[in-house]
Amino acid sequence: MKALVTGGAGFIGSHITERLLNDGHEVVVLDDFSTGHRHNLPEHDKLSVVEGDIRNMQTVEDCMQGVNWVFHKAAVASVPKTVNDPVGSSAANYQGTLHILEAARQNKVDRVVFASSAALYGDEPTLPKQEDMLPVTLSPYAVDKLASEYACGVYTKLYGLKTVALRYFNVYGPRQDPSSPYSGVISIFADRLSKQQMPTIFGDGEQTRDFVFVTDVVEANMQAVLRDEPVGQYMNIATGHQITLNELLQVFCELYQLECKPEYGEPRQGDIKESYANIERASKLLAWQPEVALHDGLKLLCESL
Ligand code: NAD
Ligand code: UD1
């Protein structure tokens, strides 16, 4: 098969690309390198890398030629960046998705998998987060992800384009960039601890998250193109387990054999207290279960640094 991976030079996209190449597929990566890096991708005779922008319809059309599967991961993935620039980020996060869907429709692509987000649940306190809850959009990022999910649904119902939306919770693993204060907390903790520095926990550390390892997310993407059951659906991709940040740091310190003396900072504005997912829908439609336990995933991450 020939696959287009938008955002393929980024954290999640590069793992999907690697898996597709290992499975013998041909891959086109379309990335503007705004946060992605060429060094995230291997040299491979079945991989072509296009430096371009999903905001440009012509570029998207050019990349769509002969493609069977699209893994649409390109986005301004930082929520604060979308807060600072709602119009500019929407051009990529919503309009860019429309470009992908339209070019996929015109080119009779077999499947489009869209990277959605747990951000859609906002600060809705009910746990676990379930797909039938009403979305609570607290950022331009969440609005664009929701609008993109709706657009995927419309393209399936109206035009018969087979789309699947995966709502990722907190994804972690090698190649996640720790350089911004808004990077994923695990990438920041790993970066600091690998330099023998203690990270800062914002608030009392009793907030919880559902951390899912990147290879489990890749497997969900693969099942989303290989199976018919998920077509036209959206579903949570997570582990169904939560852990507090205090516990997370404790596990990390044991891995690095460091005495755990966290610094505590002010709670982050807008932080949600607890988050974990019900994953029954993905488990049924994708015949998928996360395989990597948190301790093992953190070990793999530490070994990669
Ligand atoms: P990332 O920033 O590492 O990857 C995004 C990639 O898209 C980067 O390579 C970037 O250069 C590229 N990109 C951005 N704008 C582009 C544009 N206009 N045209 C072409 N390429 C562009 O982020 P990630 O964590 O790998 O996220 C991948 C996807 O998953 C995103 O859609 C993100 O919103 C979604 N997501 C991620 C998480 C998470 O925990 N990492 C959670 C929920 C949803
Ligand atoms: C994550 C997503 C976000 C999405 C949200 C949906 C990332 C980077 N962000 O946000 O796109 O909208 O899920 O629920 O994946 N923390 C510290 N110290 C640090 C960094 C963070 O204590 O140095 C804390 C934060 O205050 C937060 C927790 O760690 O309580 C997780 O933070 P983060 O990794 O940024 O993800 P979310 O805020 O859950």
Side-chain angles (χ1 to χ4, degrees):
M1 293 289 177
K2 181 174 175 183
L4 169 63
V5 184
T6 71
F11 164 46
I12 298 172
S14 65
H15 284 274
I16 292 174
T17 301
E18 192 181 337
R19 167 70 183 271
L20 287 163
L21 293 170
N22 286 342
D23 288 358
H25 302 293
E26 191 186 336
V27 184
V28 178
V29 161
L30 170 59
D31 202 296
D32 70 353
F33 297 102
S34 49
T35 56
H37 305 283
R38 187 67 182 82
H39 62 69
N40 282 342
L41 292 166
E43 291 293 333
H44 197 288
D45 56 2
K46 285 193 167 178
L47 170 66
S48 48
V49 181
V50 177
E51 180 166 1
D53 196 320
I54 57 164
R55 291 175 294 186
N56 184 322
M57 185 66 190
Q58 190 58 53
T59 304
V60 172
E61 277 172 2
D62 292 346
C63 290
M64 202 64 76
Q65 302 307 311
V67 163
N68 306 101
W69 297 335
V70 178
F71 298 88
H72 176 36
K73 311 293 138 184
V76 177
S78 155
V79 175
K81 268 194 208 168
T82 73
V83 172
N84 291 334
D85 181 15
V87 176
S89 56
S90 185
N93 290 5
Y94 178 60
Q95 192 118 36
T97 304
L98 275 185
H99 290 165
I100 300 297
L101 291 170
E102 182 55 19
R105 174 174 87 94
Q106 283 171 12
N107 285 277
K108 301 192 171 26
V109 163
D110 299 333
R111 197 68 57 96
V112 177
V113 185
F114 169 64
S116 188
S117 170
L120 297 190
Y121 296 110
D123 56 2
E124 157 62 56
T126 316
L127 289 168
K129 310 289 187 196
Q130 222 152 283
E131 292 88 347
D132 55 10
M133 289 174 175
L134 273 185
V136 180
T137 49
L138 299 177
S139 63
Y141 176 82
V143 170
D144 289 332
K145 289 292 183 189
L146 181 61
S148 294
E149 274 195 5
Y150 285 160
C152 287
V154 165
Y155 266 77
T156 299
K157 287 191 199 91
L158 210 53
Y159 307 117
L161 177 69
K162 294 179 177 172
T163 66
V164 184
L166 303 179
R167 290 183 178 174
Y168 305 149
F169 278 62
N170 293 62
V171 188
Y172 73 101
R175 300 203 282 268
Q176 189 170 27
D177 189 350
S179 61
S180 139
Y182 300 105
S183 298
V185 64
I186 287 187
S187 71
I188 295 176
F189 279 15
D191 180 61
R192 297 289 179 284
L193 291 166
S194 68
K195 296 169 182 157
Q196 311 280 306
Q197 297 163 359
M198 263 306 140
T200 303
I201 290 180
F202 302 140
D204 64 5
E206 287 304 296
Q207 65 267 51
T208 67
R209 292 294 183 272
D210 187 335
F211 294 105
V212 57
F213 194 63
V214 66
T215 54
D216 282 328
V217 173
V218 171
E219 181 59 26
N221 275 269
M222 293 308 296
Q223 294 308 320
V225 295
L226 293 170
R227 299 182 162 269
D228 288 331
E229 293 88 336
V231 168
Q233 304 284 340
Y234 49 90
M235 66 210 73
N236 293 338
I237 299 298
T239 66
H241 301 290
Q242 58 182 337
I243 183 171
T244 68
L245 287 195
N246 286 324
E247 289 164 339
L248 173 72
L249 188 60
Q250 187 62 45
V251 178
F252 253 128
C253 287
E254 282 162 21
L255 281 172
Y256 279 103
Q257 297 179 328
L258 290 171
E259 196 187 345
C260 199
K261 282 188 183 159
E263 287 171 20
Y264 289 92
E266 284 297 305
R268 198 160 75 180
Q269 216 189 357
D271 231 13
I272 52 168
K273 182 73 182 161
E274 290 176 293
S275 170
Y276 77 101
N278 177 314
I279 56 167
E280 274 171 31
R281 190 182 285 185
S283 140
K284 189 163 145 237
L285 297 177
L286 302 174
W288 169 88
Q289 284 291 333
E291 300 284 341
V292 183
L294 185 64
H295 187 274
D296 298 334
L298 294 180
K299 203 157 167 262
L300 286 167
L301 171 60
C302 295
E303 285 163 7
S304 77
L305 296 176

